[in-house]
Amino acid sequence: MPPVKPMLAKPVAKIPPGMHYEAKWDGFRSIVFRDSTEVELGSRTGKPLTRYFPELVAALRERVPRRCVLDGEIVIAREGRLDFDALTERIHPADSRVRTLAERTPASFVAFDLLALDDESLLDVPLTDRRALLDRALAETTAPVHLAPATTDLAVAERWFEQYEGAGLDGIVAKPLDLHYRQDERAMFKVKHERTADVVVAGYRFHKSGPVVGSLLLGLYDDRGALQHVGVSAAFSMKKRAELVEELEPLRMDDVAGHPWAAWSDATAHESARLPGAPSRWSGRKDLSWVPLRPERVAEVAYDHLENGQRFRHTARFRRWRPDRTPESCTYAQLEEPVRYDLAEVLGSRG
């Protein structure tokens, strides 16, 4: 019975040998519960996602065993590649909007583990046996419910790591073959793509604990010469957060006027530019204010991949300052884009 907390993965630098390998999907992790006509989509936080994906509820009712619990990922694809932006749009309070988007941008469910079947809990069953049962349970499934491709061949996993990024996937997940399902534990391993970019540090937000840096606001110049907000870097020790306030003080502007992102508080300005503080249903009443800095400082950050070629998908990791680079040289042109790969080829692969 829900809720069940998903098993998690810890990051490693290389794909470990001798394991079960799957692609790392970039979507909403979900534990699916089906009991006859009842279907519930659980989330990583334990809150249900069911009302936001009515088309998946109907599809799962038709395509998975009558009584089962599945672990997998809710994804949306556009033009042969995963689209996380389209997925986040589905979390909307208005039922009419949810129904419209269900038709316009239908979601899919990619199953990669089986936690219960009929009356039997499989949490203490080794992964290889759970996967064999999952393969049989979903042998005849059709879109939009998919069985995640898997392999035990390290060479195949390494090839997937290189190819599948072009379809919007995050990397590779490696699971010990005898692994029992351990809720809310980082018992698996994940290898993600990492690249670096030189970015303009154009502001910061205070940390929730007090007057120290919470996150640096990062920018890149587009081909029109406009500085676009592309993400944040936020993983610092408390000592470093305090040092950053002092270090950036000479660049601090008393007024946002004259800053490239001066229009950030105007909701309409976000329609034509990427600015910090864009209002959204995720931010709610959160304080989105920030401290403007003269855009003169360049930092090198590490990132995994871009969302729609416009911003860093996840929080970027600060590496070092780059005093040898000029802000104007920090453009989108430096960013490496993976070779495109059709998502249909991924979902058609079973290892």
Side-chain angles (χ1 to χ4, degrees), residues 26-345:
D26 188 20
F28 289 165
R29 184 77 174 275
S30 182
I31 306 292
V32 169
F33 303 83
R34 185 191 172 191
D35 185 359
S36 186
T37 59
E38 294 182 67
V39 175
E40 180 159 330
L41 310 181
S43 70
R44 181 168 169 173
T45 63
K47 296 179 180 180
L49 295 169
T50 313
R51 69 171 297 270
Y52 303 116
F53 299 97
E55 78 281 22
L56 276 187
V57 171
L60 289 161
R61 193 178 288 126
E62 296 175 353
R63 292 168 173 80
V64 305
R66 186 174 179 83
R67 297 189 69 214
C68 66
V69 180
L70 298 164
D71 187 3
E73 200 99 357
I74 299 172
V75 298
I76 288 179
R78 278 180 175 173
E79 299 179 356
R81 141 179 210 105
L82 296 181
D83 189 333
F84 192 80
D85 269 356
L87 193 63
T88 61
E89 290 174 2
R90 296 294 303 272
I91 310 302
H92 198 282
D95 184 66
S96 59
R97 180 63 175 168
V98 168
R99 297 285 173 180
T100 297
L101 290 174
E103 296 181 5
R104 184 180 302 167
T105 54
S108 298
F109 180 75
V110 183
F112 44 68
D113 211 335
L114 182 63
L115 310 189
L117 184 63
D118 296 326
D119 293 329
E120 183 180 4
S121 169
L122 304 176
L123 298 181
D124 293 327
V125 173
L127 171 67
T128 49
D129 295 337
R130 294 202 310 274
R131 178 66 196 207
L133 290 169
L134 177 66
D135 286 346
R136 289 198 292 273
L138 298 187
E140 304 301 324
T141 192
T142 57
V145 177
H146 302 274
L147 176 62
T151 183
T152 55
D153 188 325
L154 179 60
V156 172
E158 290 172 338
R159 186 176 74 247
W160 286 355
F161 183 75
E162 297 300 327
Q163 288 182 330
Y164 286 4
E165 186 187 13
L169 280 76
D170 263 351
I172 292 293
V173 174
K175 306 176 182 180
L177 298 174
D178 60 352
L179 181 64
H180 293 185
Y181 197 90
R182 291 155 55 183
Q183 294 185 55
D184 205 31
E185 292 186 36
R186 295 193 178 277
M188 308 181 291
F189 306 93
K190 60 183 177 183
V191 185
K192 299 178 67 174
H193 298 275
E194 180 174 283
R195 297 175 171 83
T196 61
D198 294 326
V199 296
V200 180
V201 176
Y204 65 84
R205 288 196 178 97
F206 283 116
H207 194 263
K208 60 184 179 181
S209 65
V212 296
V213 168
S215 60
L216 299 176
L217 306 185
L218 313 176
L220 287 173
Y221 284 96
D222 63 19
D223 54 10
R224 297 178 293 114
L227 186 66
Q228 304 288 350
H229 176 53
V230 294
V232 301
S233 183
F236 303 104
S237 67
M238 289 306 294
K239 179 183 178 183
K240 182 63 175 177
R241 294 182 190 280
E243 291 174 349
L244 283 170
V245 172
E246 184 176 349
E247 188 173 0
L248 297 172
E249 181 61 26
L251 299 175
R252 184 167 176 170
M253 300 171 64
D254 295 330
D255 193 330
V256 74
H259 192 282
W261 300 335
W264 74 278
S265 60
D266 180 356
T268 61
H270 292 267
E271 298 172 4
S272 57
R274 295 207 59 81
L275 305 170
S280 73
R281 56 189 170 276
W282 302 108
S283 56
R285 297 185 178 182
K286 182 179 178 181
D287 182 8
L288 300 176
S289 61
W290 52 284
V291 176
L293 300 174
R294 294 198 309 276
E296 300 172 4
R297 201 80 181 269
V298 175
E300 179 184 328
V301 298
Y303 68 97
D304 41 26
H305 68 273
L306 297 176
E307 183 66 31
N308 293 330
Q310 295 181 325
R311 69 175 188 273
F312 301 136
R313 168 70 179 84
H314 301 106
T315 301
R317 296 162 294 285
F318 182 89
R319 290 290 179 257
R320 57 178 175 148
W321 294 113
R322 290 295 305 268
D324 56 320
R325 291 292 300 269
T326 64
E328 294 75 18
S329 69
C330 300
T331 68
Y332 279 94
Q334 70 180 298
L335 304 181
E336 179 185 352
E337 276 293 294
V339 176
R340 296 280 296 192
Y341 193 83
D342 193 339
L343 185 63
E345 295 294 324

